[in-house]
Amino acid sequence: MRKRLRKPIKKEKDFSDKILKILAQNPNKGFNYKQIAATLELDDTQSRNQIIKDLKLLAAAKKIIETEPGKYLVKAISQDYYEGTIDMTGRKTAYFICPDFEEDVFIPTNNLNRALDKDKVKVYVYNRRKGKRPEGEVIEVVERAKTDFVGVIDIQKNFAFVSTANPKMYTDIFIPKDKIGEAEHGDVVLVHIEDWPKRADSPFGRVEKVLGKPGEHDTEIHAILAEYGLPSEFPIEVETFAQKIDTTIQESEIAKRRDMRDTLTFTIDPKDAKDFDDALSFKKLENGNFEIGVHIADVSYYLEEGTILDDEAYQRATSVYLVDRVVPMLPEVLSNFACSLRPQEEKYTFSAIFELDAKAKVVNQWFGRTVIFSDQRFAYEEAQYIIETKDNTIPVETSITGSSYVVADEIVEATLKMDELAKILRRNRMNEGAISFDKVEVKFNLDKEGEPEGVYFKIAKDANHLIEEFMLLANRKVAEYIGKQKKTFIYRIHDEPNEDKLIAMQNVIAKFGYKIDFRNKGDISKSLNALMEEVSGKKEQNLIDTLAIRSMSKAKYSTDNIGHYGLAFDYYSHFTSPIRRYPDVMVHRLLQFYLDGGKSVDEETYETKCLHSSTMEGLATNAERDSIKYMQVKYMQNHQDQEFLGVISGVTEWGIYVEIIENKCEGMVRIRDIKEDYYTFDEKQYALVGATSHNLLQLGDEIYVKVKNADLVKKQLDFHFIRSNN
């Protein structure tokens, strides 16, 4: 006899969270069960009865208030509601970041409720039982992080959609027909979100600007800038204002300054530099000590507070260094001419003058406004040649002039002595716990059209360290001078490393046989320095350098001085680059104000300026990183038939990331594209494991790859797996 199948018992739904959400979104309006059922579009008896039951339970738990029989209002203050920031993943889910929670709160896709990445939101948090991961639902978008997006427009008959390449932007943007503007189908455009109606799947927007056709060089560079809200040119009124500034050197102004035009002075910069922020002067004193002057362009002399030029510089906060161009903070008339410390020209400067003994100890110091005359411009390569050979004849292959030339003996002597002192300063810093990050920089040789012809690596040498040490000395001593007076100042601060990130890094580097000492912060810095030295020149260097930098806290600007962990300084500021950094301009102004006897300025005002400067610096860094990714993809487009040896730099459940050794370009080999075996991800080994061969593909392994796809718009590389290098 056949058994009769029992009908499954239908479980009653719990509407508590949905009820709380409705009441929270309407905090001043009372709801009865019928209104809640109508809002939830429920009309069956069972659901209505459950709503009545849930309302009574919520009232009993004192999460809602019964204002009159059958009518409920959310409590004005509830411990379940928090404000914080949305951090989108690439999988249409998000995490809610809030200082009230030790761990981030997970937000499923259907609980985002129109929140976008980095939005400030109000969230209802549930599932907070011990041992359970807290989850939440966005109740309200308090403030949009951004409303302008870059994407490709798809124009239909009566409307259009714009889709972005940003994996964290999970929705396209609807554009009504009358707001398409001059855009044509397939254009890259900048769009502004105007509204997101409650029942609409996508936000509504308008086209602000047409950037060009996808894949075209200028289009993609302008798209990178637009994506981060960074300008590509100066407003005409700002350019006009800058052009009218009197940039001549006046005797009346020289009389107010310390005149150092007769002191030997020179600059050392990259060979393609156009703006020279800093110069060094050198004088041997009668007592056997050395006077080293760190002379910085006096931008604040030309950049007057309250002008449209100053407002523009403050908004930009920094110059942006893309692969093929610089987007300056100041118009060219200032950045490349009036303020730039060009050779054989008199310039106004703000200087830090140090008397150092033979052991590089500062025995005297002076800060103030000066006037200088630069005797010589060096490229790093030329200064490096002098340091290495002690020869005063610069050969053609090193010279930036295109021909061999002879350097004055006094400049050679000054360069060698300052190199000697800089090495002592550097050694002292390292002994005090500073961390040395000499990460390899990827650079491109570009043709006249901006197309990449080749890749090379920029490595810091003695000439770079010479400049670095004296700039660090000036930044440190300026900050210390004001800091010890307990007056409001702008510091460059760097917190201790994140321990969780260091532990995660340890798990990775252990696979290469390396270890970090966690006993105290001094041991951590020594251990990281030893690690950097040990991996230098090895195939895993770039991976480990990157992991180490990511484990560090981000340096930022603040009036609250907590010191600089990475440099091992108790006081540190940014004084040395006012042509390209607005905080340095503010430091110059404050320093002069205090030198003139001024009282401490309002801390809150300057903290707001610090926050803005740090934010803009972050956007500029992201744009610079994107421009490098773009150029790497462009370079690899022209090498599609070539096999490359790469190092596995990441392992995930969907594939492996591979960094090509010869050019540092990184791309992905998807797990489904590895045909030699069926591979699965082993989380414990952090590797892909072959089902038949049991072969491991893990971090640091060398494999040969070929370009499968180079997507300029998404700035992504996909590789074919060729074979392991065993």
Side-chain angles (χ1 to χ4, degrees), residues 220-492:
E220 297 304 333
I221 293 295
H222 283 121
I224 289 169
L225 291 169
E227 178 65 33
Y228 295 106
L230 300 170
S232 57
E233 54 194 21
F234 285 97
I236 188 67
E237 61 271 21
V238 172
E239 285 279 13
T240 303
F241 184 93
Q243 291 292 340
K244 290 179 179 177
I245 294 174
D246 182 1
T247 59
T248 58
I249 302 296
Q250 304 287 333
E251 286 298 328
S252 57
E253 180 59 30
I254 289 174
K256 301 174 187 175
R257 296 167 176 264
R258 179 169 171 175
D259 191 343
M260 299 193 69
R261 288 175 292 178
D262 291 336
T263 305
L264 177 67
T265 302
F266 54 92
T267 61
I268 305 176
D269 290 279
K271 60 184 176 183
D272 57 351
K274 291 184 177 66
D275 59 332
F276 310 121
D277 271 300
D278 53 82
L280 292 175
S281 67
F282 178 84
K283 185 193 287 184
K284 191 169 182 178
L285 302 175
E286 290 181 7
N287 62 5
N289 289 342
F290 308 95
E291 181 189 271
I292 310 289
V294 180
H295 307 286
I296 309 302
D298 191 359
V299 173
S300 62
Y301 173 78
Y302 298 103
L303 196 63
E304 293 184 19
E305 287 186 85
T307 62
I308 58 168
L309 181 60
D310 185 52
D311 291 344
E312 180 73 16
Y314 171 72
Q315 287 306 321
R316 292 180 178 229
T318 180
S319 295
V320 185
Y321 291 82
L322 305 182
V323 168
D324 70 332
R325 70 194 70 189
V326 177
V327 181
M329 183 182 81
L330 300 171
E332 192 176 25
V333 66
L334 294 180
S335 60
N336 289 2
F337 294 98
C339 296
S340 186
L341 309 184
R342 307 197 310 173
Q344 303 298 305
E345 291 182 11
E346 294 178 340
K347 295 289 177 179
Y348 296 145
T349 44
F350 210 127
S351 303
I353 314 294
F354 302 104
E355 182 183 340
L356 275 67
D357 64 17
K359 294 181 179 178
K361 183 183 177 184
V362 176
V363 295
N364 215 336
Q365 65 185 28
W366 178 91
F367 307 112
R369 283 185 150 135
T370 54
V371 59
I372 65 161
F373 179 86
S374 177
D375 299 285
Q376 178 84 40
R377 181 217 160 175
F378 279 135
Y380 282 119
E381 292 84 352
E382 294 171 316
Q384 186 64 31
Y385 178 82
I386 291 172
I387 291 167
E388 289 177 2
T389 66
K390 300 177 176 54
D391 188 354
N392 69 344
T393 304
I394 306 294
V396 174
E397 59 270 23
T398 306
S399 169
I400 55 170
T401 65
S403 59
S404 175
Y405 69 95
V406 177
V407 180
D409 289 341
E410 59 177 350
I411 294 181
V412 172
E413 183 189 345
T415 303
L416 294 173
K417 178 49 71 175
M418 285 197 286
D419 173 59
E420 187 184 310
L421 294 169
K423 282 171 177 161
I424 298 171
L425 289 170
R426 185 174 176 82
R427 187 165 61 246
N428 291 343
R429 273 200 310 115
M430 294 303 152
N431 290 339
E432 288 167 9
I435 300 170
S436 172
F437 285 122
D438 282 339
K439 194 173 187 302
V440 174
E441 283 187 62
V442 179
K443 296 286 183 180
F444 295 87
N445 290 316
L446 305 177
D447 64 18
K448 290 177 183 177
E449 281 72 46
E451 297 293 322
E453 294 181 315
V455 179
Y456 66 96
F457 304 134
K458 182 181 170 186
I459 300 166
K461 294 185 177 181
D462 290 339
N464 304 82
H465 293 319
L466 187 162
I467 292 296
E468 180 185 28
E469 290 306 322
F470 286 111
M471 295 307 120
L472 290 176
L473 179 65
N475 288 334
R476 178 187 196 177
K477 290 298 182 180
V478 164
E480 185 178 84
Y481 174 71
I482 302 300
K484 287 186 175 180
Q485 296 180 41
K486 306 293 184 188
K487 291 179 177 179
T488 298
F489 203 55
I490 292 175
Y491 298 96
R492 180 71 168 175

Side-chain angles (χ1 to χ4, degrees), residues 99-132:
D100 294 308
F101 292 91
E102 285 186 14
E103 61 178 314
D104 297 339
V105 177
F106 181 69
I107 311 286
T109 306
N110 59 346
N111 284 358
L112 281 168
N113 295 320
R114 300 184 296 282
L116 300 173
D117 189 45
K118 301 295 180 288
D119 283 354
K120 186 179 177 183
V121 294
K122 185 184 287 184
V123 165
Y124 170 66
V125 179
Y126 52 92
N127 196 16
R128 293 177 57 198
R129 294 188 297 277
K130 198 172 181 182
K132 293 278 188 179

Side-chain angles (χ1 to χ4, degrees), residues 42 44 59 194 218 232 241 329 348 568 570 601 658 701 719:
L42 299 169
D44 61 289
E194 295 183 316
D218 269 359
S232 57
F241 184 93
M329 183 182 81
Y348 296 145
D570 291 331
V601 296
V658 180
D701 283 356
F719 292 144

Side-chain angles (χ1 to χ4, degrees), residues 611-629:
L611 180 61
H612 170 72
S613 297
S614 297
T615 300
M616 295 308 293
E617 178 189 47
L619 295 174
T621 300
N622 289 338
E624 290 161 23
R625 195 178 294 129
D626 279 4
S627 82
I628 293 169
K629 284 182 190 171

